[in-house]
Amino acid sequence: MSHSSSKSLKTLRLLAIWEGISYLLLVGICMPLKYIFNIPEPTYPVGLAHGVLFVAYCIFVLIVTLEKKWSFKTMMLAGIASLLPFGTFVADKRMFIKYV
């Protein structure tokens, strides 16, 4: 395993955790605050952070796919994980850990 691919995978794993946390904060806390309690202020910064983390996660899925020569199926599952609550946590424990 090359040093750069190891670093890329570690970065992907870290992004997976932070992207998952930001998604849960956005959906579980900010959206109810905005739409139930009419408190929209936290939605913008958390939504912005989540958007940046989501894009970074997707880019690193592509980078690691190329470096580790992942199959199309593995790449797609990693991508789909980012769309599901808790999905990136599951991807880290069931998929990414295999390549460490």
Side-chain angles (χ1 to χ4, degrees):
M1 175 184 332
S2 74
H3 176 68
S4 64
S5 67
S6 176
K7 186 176 178 181
S8 295
L9 182 59
K10 286 178 184 176
T11 302
L12 175 61
R13 294 185 72 203
L14 185 62
L15 283 168
I17 299 305
W18 282 108
E19 195 275 341
I21 291 168
S22 71
Y23 189 27
L24 294 175
L25 286 173
L26 186 61
V27 173
I29 295 174
C30 293
M31 299 307 273
L33 283 174
K34 181 176 181 177
Y35 292 109
I36 296 171
F37 300 105
N38 200 28
I39 304 172
E41 291 81 12
T43 306
Y44 180 77
V46 174
L48 180 63
H50 173 67
V52 169
L53 289 164
F54 174 78
V55 170
Y57 174 84
C58 291
I59 289 169
F60 269 85
V61 165
L62 292 173
I63 290 169
V64 174
T65 295
L66 295 172
E67 288 179 354
K68 299 289 185 182
K69 297 181 179 24
W70 282 356
S71 68
F72 181 76
K73 178 182 174 183
T74 300
M75 179 188 71
M76 290 305 295
L77 288 173
I80 290 168
S82 70
L83 303 174
L84 304 171
F86 301 99
T88 55
F89 304 119
V90 173
D92 181 53
K93 293 297 180 197
R94 293 204 176 162
M95 293 171 50
F96 306 155
I97 197 77
K98 294 179 192 176
Y99 298 96
V100 174

